[in-house]
Amino acid sequence: MTDNCIFCKIANGEIPSATLYEDDDFKVILDVSPAAKGHMLILPRQHYADIMAMPEELTAKAFVLAKKMAAKLEKVLECDGINLVQNNHEAAGQTVFHFHIHVIPRYAKDKLGIGWKPGKLSDADRDELVEKFKTIV
């Protein structure tokens, strides 16, 4: 736990939250600034700044939990879809530097706008990236 991390304080019960699920590793809460009704956050109880800092076993557990919570959310809200959003670093939209997964219910015409304009993979970029990834252990 980090003393100045709001998600550490929420995950460990120092700050009250609308808790939907909890176990020894995680707490799932309703987001207080939701993109849609039912938007929830999956928070590990221990502090990890981002996905790269988390142990692989705990990362796997987080996404298994996200799948379970998404299934429950679909049943409760009868939504048309679910976004799982997990941002790492400021450039990617991370604003609280404690790993978390957003589970966001979606509806066919909700216009939330989570997405991007697809680009095109050039042959040069493809070849460069394939070669560079072969050299990384």
Side-chain angles (χ1 to χ4, degrees), residues 88-109:
N88 295 282
H89 308 295
E90 189 175 349
Q94 186 177 12
T95 58
V96 178
F97 297 94
H98 178 114
F99 173 91
H100 56 286
I101 302 171
H102 296 263
V103 183
I104 305 169
R106 298 300 304 271
Y107 298 91
K109 297 180 182 180

PDB file of all heavy atoms in Angstrom, residues 88-109:
ATOM      1  N   ASN A  88      -2.249   2.336 -19.196  1.00  0.00           N
ATOM      2  CA  ASN A  88      -0.929   2.315 -18.561  1.00  0.00           C
ATOM      3  C   ASN A  88      -0.141   3.542 -18.983  1.00  0.00           C
ATOM      4  O   ASN A  88       0.156   3.706 -20.168  1.00  0.00           O
ATOM      5  CB  ASN A  88      -0.166   1.049 -18.963  1.00  0.00           C
ATOM      6  CG  ASN A  88      -0.854  -0.187 -18.441  1.00  0.00           C
ATOM      7  OD1 ASN A  88      -0.736  -0.509 -17.277  1.00  0.00           O
ATOM      8  ND2 ASN A  88      -1.619  -0.850 -19.298  1.00  0.00           N
ATOM      9  N   HIS A  89       0.179   4.376 -18.018  1.00  0.00           N
ATOM     10  CA  HIS A  89       0.955   5.605 -18.187  1.00  0.00           C
ATOM     11  C   HIS A  89       0.066   6.751 -18.685  1.00  0.00           C
ATOM     12  O   HIS A  89      -0.993   6.545 -19.268  1.00  0.00           O
ATOM     13  CB  HIS A  89       2.169   5.414 -19.097  1.00  0.00           C
ATOM     14  CG  HIS A  89       3.041   4.265 -18.700  1.00  0.00           C
ATOM     15  ND1 HIS A  89       3.737   4.242 -17.519  1.00  0.00           N
ATOM     16  CD2 HIS A  89       3.302   3.092 -19.314  1.00  0.00           C
ATOM     17  CE1 HIS A  89       4.402   3.103 -17.426  1.00  0.00           C
ATOM     18  NE2 HIS A  89       4.157   2.373 -18.501  1.00  0.00           N
ATOM     19  N   GLU A  90       0.512   7.936 -18.406  1.00  0.00           N
ATOM     20  CA  GLU A  90      -0.258   9.145 -18.713  1.00  0.00           C
ATOM     21  C   GLU A  90      -0.606   9.259 -20.191  1.00  0.00           C
ATOM     22  O   GLU A  90      -1.726   9.623 -20.551  1.00  0.00           O
ATOM     23  CB  GLU A  90       0.525  10.375 -18.252  1.00  0.00           C
ATOM     24  CG  GLU A  90      -0.260  11.654 -18.322  1.00  0.00           C
ATOM     25  CD  GLU A  90       0.489  12.840 -17.738  1.00  0.00           C
ATOM     26  OE1 GLU A  90       1.541  12.647 -17.085  1.00  0.00           O
ATOM     27  OE2 GLU A  90       0.011  13.977 -17.941  1.00  0.00           O
ATOM     28  N   ALA A  91       0.335   8.936 -21.069  1.00  0.00           N
ATOM     29  CA  ALA A  91       0.095   9.058 -22.510  1.00  0.00           C
ATOM     30  C   ALA A  91      -1.043   8.160 -22.981  1.00  0.00           C
ATOM     31  O   ALA A  91      -1.678   8.434 -24.006  1.00  0.00           O
ATOM     32  CB  ALA A  91       1.365   8.737 -23.292  1.00  0.00           C
ATOM     33  N   ALA A  92      -1.319   7.093 -22.228  1.00  0.00           N
ATOM     34  CA  ALA A  92      -2.397   6.165 -22.582  1.00  0.00           C
ATOM     35  C   ALA A  92      -3.692   6.465 -21.834  1.00  0.00           C
ATOM     36  O   ALA A  92      -4.657   5.716 -21.934  1.00  0.00           O
ATOM     37  CB  ALA A  92      -1.961   4.733 -22.302  1.00  0.00           C
ATOM     38  N   GLY A  93      -3.706   7.550 -21.067  1.00  0.00           N
ATOM     39  CA  GLY A  93      -4.927   7.943 -20.373  1.00  0.00           C
ATOM     40  C   GLY A  93      -5.001   7.555 -18.908  1.00  0.00           C
ATOM     41  O   GLY A  93      -6.021   7.774 -18.269  1.00  0.00           O
ATOM     42  N   GLN A  94      -3.941   6.992 -18.352  1.00  0.00           N
ATOM     43  CA  GLN A  94      -3.965   6.638 -16.932  1.00  0.00           C
ATOM     44  C   GLN A  94      -3.882   7.910 -16.097  1.00  0.00           C
ATOM     45  O   GLN A  94      -3.004   8.740 -16.303  1.00  0.00           O
ATOM     46  CB  GLN A  94      -2.795   5.697 -16.588  1.00  0.00           C
ATOM     47  CG  GLN A  94      -2.843   5.173 -15.174  1.00  0.00           C
ATOM     48  CD  GLN A  94      -1.721   4.180 -14.872  1.00  0.00           C
ATOM     49  OE1 GLN A  94      -0.776   4.026 -15.625  1.00  0.00           O
ATOM     50  NE2 GLN A  94      -1.832   3.517 -13.731  1.00  0.00           N
ATOM     51  N   THR A  95      -4.826   8.065 -15.167  1.00  0.00           N
ATOM     52  CA  THR A  95      -4.847   9.254 -14.315  1.00  0.00           C
ATOM     53  C   THR A  95      -4.599   8.915 -12.847  1.00  0.00           C
ATOM     54  O   THR A  95      -4.175   9.773 -12.087  1.00  0.00           O
ATOM     55  CB  THR A  95      -6.175  10.027 -14.446  1.00  0.00           C
ATOM     56  OG1 THR A  95      -7.255   9.158 -14.112  1.00  0.00           O
ATOM     57  CG2 THR A  95      -6.354  10.567 -15.863  1.00  0.00           C
ATOM     58  N   VAL A  96      -4.892   7.679 -12.449  1.00  0.00           N
ATOM     59  CA  VAL A  96      -4.568   7.207 -11.106  1.00  0.00           C
ATOM     60  C   VAL A  96      -3.549   6.093 -11.301  1.00  0.00           C
ATOM     61  O   VAL A  96      -3.830   5.101 -11.969  1.00  0.00           O
ATOM     62  CB  VAL A  96      -5.814   6.696 -10.352  1.00  0.00           C
ATOM     63  CG1 VAL A  96      -5.420   6.174  -8.974  1.00  0.00           C
ATOM     64  CG2 VAL A  96      -6.858   7.798 -10.226  1.00  0.00           C
ATOM     65  N   PHE A  97      -2.381   6.247 -10.721  1.00  0.00           N
ATOM     66  CA  PHE A  97      -1.276   5.338 -10.999  1.00  0.00           C
ATOM     67  C   PHE A  97      -1.238   4.172 -10.022  1.00  0.00           C
ATOM     68  O   PHE A  97      -0.272   3.943  -9.298  1.00  0.00           O
ATOM     69  CB  PHE A  97       0.032   6.145 -11.079  1.00  0.00           C
ATOM     70  CG  PHE A  97      -0.054   7.122 -12.223  1.00  0.00           C
ATOM     71  CD1 PHE A  97      -0.484   8.424 -12.001  1.00  0.00           C
ATOM     72  CD2 PHE A  97       0.218   6.726 -13.518  1.00  0.00           C
ATOM     73  CE1 PHE A  97      -0.628   9.313 -13.062  1.00  0.00           C
ATOM     74  CE2 PHE A  97       0.085   7.603 -14.584  1.00  0.00           C
ATOM     75  CZ  PHE A  97      -0.332   8.906 -14.350  1.00  0.00           C
ATOM     76  N   HIS A  98      -2.352   3.465 -10.030  1.00  0.00           N
ATOM     77  CA  HIS A  98      -2.574   2.215  -9.311  1.00  0.00           C
ATOM     78  C   HIS A  98      -3.316   1.359 -10.328  1.00  0.00           C
ATOM     79  O   HIS A  98      -4.384   1.761 -10.818  1.00  0.00           O
ATOM     80  CB  HIS A  98      -3.445   2.477  -8.070  1.00  0.00           C
ATOM     81  CG  HIS A  98      -3.783   1.266  -7.257  1.00  0.00           C
ATOM     82  ND1 HIS A  98      -3.317   1.108  -5.974  1.00  0.00           N
ATOM     83  CD2 HIS A  98      -4.542   0.176  -7.519  1.00  0.00           C
ATOM     84  CE1 HIS A  98      -3.798  -0.022  -5.477  1.00  0.00           C
ATOM     85  NE2 HIS A  98      -4.547  -0.605  -6.417  1.00  0.00           N
ATOM     86  N   PHE A  99      -2.757   0.210 -10.685  1.00  0.00           N
ATOM     87  CA  PHE A  99      -3.392  -0.643 -11.691  1.00  0.00           C
ATOM     88  C   PHE A  99      -4.881  -0.767 -11.411  1.00  0.00           C
ATOM     89  O   PHE A  99      -5.295  -0.963 -10.266  1.00  0.00           O
ATOM     90  CB  PHE A  99      -2.757  -2.043 -11.678  1.00  0.00           C
ATOM     91  CG  PHE A  99      -3.469  -3.022 -12.572  1.00  0.00           C
ATOM     92  CD1 PHE A  99      -3.075  -3.166 -13.888  1.00  0.00           C
ATOM     93  CD2 PHE A  99      -4.531  -3.770 -12.100  1.00  0.00           C
ATOM     94  CE1 PHE A  99      -3.737  -4.063 -14.721  1.00  0.00           C
ATOM     95  CE2 PHE A  99      -5.204  -4.662 -12.921  1.00  0.00           C
ATOM     96  CZ  PHE A  99      -4.800  -4.808 -14.236  1.00  0.00           C
ATOM     97  N   HIS A 100      -5.685  -0.679 -12.448  1.00  0.00           N
ATOM     98  CA  HIS A 100      -7.119  -0.916 -12.328  1.00  0.00           C
ATOM     99  C   HIS A 100      -7.693  -1.229 -13.705  1.00  0.00           C
ATOM    100  O   HIS A 100      -7.129  -0.850 -14.723  1.00  0.00           O
ATOM    101  CB  HIS A 100      -7.855   0.265 -11.682  1.00  0.00           C
ATOM    102  CG  HIS A 100      -7.672   1.575 -12.373  1.00  0.00           C
ATOM    103  ND1 HIS A 100      -6.490   2.296 -12.306  1.00  0.00           N
ATOM    104  CD2 HIS A 100      -8.506   2.305 -13.146  1.00  0.00           C
ATOM    105  CE1 HIS A 100      -6.626   3.417 -13.008  1.00  0.00           C
ATOM    106  NE2 HIS A 100      -7.839   3.445 -13.524  1.00  0.00           N
ATOM    107  N   ILE A 101      -8.789  -1.943 -13.687  1.00  0.00           N
ATOM    108  CA  ILE A 101      -9.520  -2.266 -14.915  1.00  0.00           C
ATOM    109  C   ILE A 101     -10.889  -1.622 -14.812  1.00  0.00           C
ATOM    110  O   ILE A 101     -11.603  -1.811 -13.821  1.00  0.00           O
ATOM    111  CB  ILE A 101      -9.682  -3.788 -15.102  1.00  0.00           C
ATOM    112  CG1 ILE A 101      -8.329  -4.492 -15.143  1.00  0.00           C
ATOM    113  CG2 ILE A 101     -10.480  -4.085 -16.379  1.00  0.00           C
ATOM    114  CD1 ILE A 101      -8.422  -6.016 -15.115  1.00  0.00           C
ATOM    115  N   HIS A 102     -11.255  -0.888 -15.858  1.00  0.00           N
ATOM    116  CA  HIS A 102     -12.614  -0.356 -15.968  1.00  0.00           C
ATOM    117  C   HIS A 102     -13.488  -1.419 -16.637  1.00  0.00           C
ATOM    118  O   HIS A 102     -13.088  -1.987 -17.661  1.00  0.00           O
ATOM    119  CB  HIS A 102     -12.643   0.890 -16.862  1.00  0.00           C
ATOM    120  CG  HIS A 102     -11.873   2.049 -16.334  1.00  0.00           C
ATOM    121  ND1 HIS A 102     -12.471   3.064 -15.629  1.00  0.00           N
ATOM    122  CD2 HIS A 102     -10.559   2.366 -16.424  1.00  0.00           C
ATOM    123  CE1 HIS A 102     -11.555   3.961 -15.309  1.00  0.00           C
ATOM    124  NE2 HIS A 102     -10.384   3.559 -15.779  1.00  0.00           N
ATOM    125  N   VAL A 103     -14.643  -1.669 -16.076  1.00  0.00           N
ATOM    126  CA  VAL A 103     -15.644  -2.535 -16.698  1.00  0.00           C
ATOM    127  C   VAL A 103     -16.841  -1.628 -16.965  1.00  0.00           C
ATOM    128  O   VAL A 103     -17.484  -1.148 -16.030  1.00  0.00           O
ATOM    129  CB  VAL A 103     -16.028  -3.722 -15.790  1.00  0.00           C
ATOM    130  CG1 VAL A 103     -17.024  -4.646 -16.494  1.00  0.00           C
ATOM    131  CG2 VAL A 103     -14.775  -4.497 -15.355  1.00  0.00           C
ATOM    132  N   ILE A 104     -17.083  -1.360 -18.260  1.00  0.00           N
ATOM    133  CA  ILE A 104     -18.060  -0.330 -18.639  1.00  0.00           C
ATOM    134  C   ILE A 104     -19.174  -0.941 -19.484  1.00  0.00           C
ATOM    135  O   ILE A 104     -18.914  -1.475 -20.566  1.00  0.00           O
ATOM    136  CB  ILE A 104     -17.375   0.803 -19.434  1.00  0.00           C
ATOM    137  CG1 ILE A 104     -16.197   1.371 -18.639  1.00  0.00           C
ATOM    138  CG2 ILE A 104     -18.383   1.898 -19.786  1.00  0.00           C
ATOM    139  CD1 ILE A 104     -15.305   2.309 -19.436  1.00  0.00           C
ATOM    140  N   PRO A 105     -20.419  -0.866 -19.000  1.00  0.00           N
ATOM    141  CA  PRO A 105     -21.536  -1.366 -19.801  1.00  0.00           C
ATOM    142  C   PRO A 105     -21.772  -0.455 -21.004  1.00  0.00           C
ATOM    143  O   PRO A 105     -21.599   0.769 -20.911  1.00  0.00           O
ATOM    144  CB  PRO A 105     -22.722  -1.328 -18.839  1.00  0.00           C
ATOM    145  CG  PRO A 105     -22.355  -0.296 -17.824  1.00  0.00           C
ATOM    146  CD  PRO A 105     -20.864  -0.292 -17.729  1.00  0.00           C
ATOM    147  N   ARG A 106     -22.150  -1.055 -22.111  1.00  0.00           N
ATOM    148  CA  ARG A 106     -22.389  -0.292 -23.343  1.00  0.00           C
ATOM    149  C   ARG A 106     -23.752  -0.643 -23.919  1.00  0.00           C
ATOM    150  O   ARG A 106     -24.259  -1.744 -23.756  1.00  0.00           O
ATOM    151  CB  ARG A 106     -21.302  -0.615 -24.365  1.00  0.00           C
ATOM    152  CG  ARG A 106     -19.893  -0.239 -23.943  1.00  0.00           C
ATOM    153  CD  ARG A 106     -19.727   1.243 -23.662  1.00  0.00           C
ATOM    154  NE  ARG A 106     -20.109   2.060 -24.786  1.00  0.00           N
ATOM    155  CZ  ARG A 106     -19.295   2.436 -25.772  1.00  0.00           C
ATOM    156  NH1 ARG A 106     -18.024   2.090 -25.732  1.00  0.00           N
ATOM    157  NH2 ARG A 106     -19.731   3.172 -26.763  1.00  0.00           N
ATOM    158  N   TYR A 107     -24.310   0.339 -24.621  1.00  0.00           N
ATOM    159  CA  TYR A 107     -25.604   0.173 -25.276  1.00  0.00           C
ATOM    160  C   TYR A 107     -25.460   0.570 -26.734  1.00  0.00           C
ATOM    161  O   TYR A 107     -24.620   1.415 -27.076  1.00  0.00           O
ATOM    162  CB  TYR A 107     -26.665   1.018 -24.567  1.00  0.00           C
ATOM    163  CG  TYR A 107     -26.846   0.570 -23.142  1.00  0.00           C
ATOM    164  CD1 TYR A 107     -26.104   1.142 -22.113  1.00  0.00           C
ATOM    165  CD2 TYR A 107     -27.712  -0.468 -22.839  1.00  0.00           C
ATOM    166  CE1 TYR A 107     -26.246   0.695 -20.804  1.00  0.00           C
ATOM    167  CE2 TYR A 107     -27.853  -0.923 -21.531  1.00  0.00           C
ATOM    168  CZ  TYR A 107     -27.117  -0.337 -20.529  1.00  0.00           C
ATOM    169  OH  TYR A 107     -27.246  -0.786 -19.240  1.00  0.00           O
ATOM    170  N   ALA A 108     -26.266  -0.018 -27.586  1.00  0.00           N
ATOM    171  CA  ALA A 108     -26.127   0.139 -29.035  1.00  0.00           C
ATOM    172  C   ALA A 108     -26.013   1.600 -29.472  1.00  0.00           C
ATOM    173  O   ALA A 108     -25.234   1.915 -30.354  1.00  0.00           O
ATOM    174  CB  ALA A 108     -27.287  -0.546 -29.747  1.00  0.00           C
ATOM    175  N   LYS A 109     -26.736   2.495 -28.846  1.00  0.00           N
ATOM    176  CA  LYS A 109     -26.733   3.899 -29.291  1.00  0.00           C
ATOM    177  C   LYS A 109     -26.276   4.855 -28.197  1.00  0.00           C
ATOM    178  O   LYS A 109     -26.709   5.998 -28.144  1.00  0.00           O
ATOM    179  CB  LYS A 109     -28.121   4.275 -29.794  1.00  0.00           C
ATOM    180  CG  LYS A 109     -28.527   3.462 -31.012  1.00  0.00           C
ATOM    181  CD  LYS A 109     -29.887   3.818 -31.528  1.00  0.00           C
ATOM    182  CE  LYS A 109     -30.205   2.912 -32.707  1.00  0.00           C
ATOM    183  NZ  LYS A 109     -31.492   3.174 -33.288  1.00  0.00           N
TER     184      LYS A 109
END
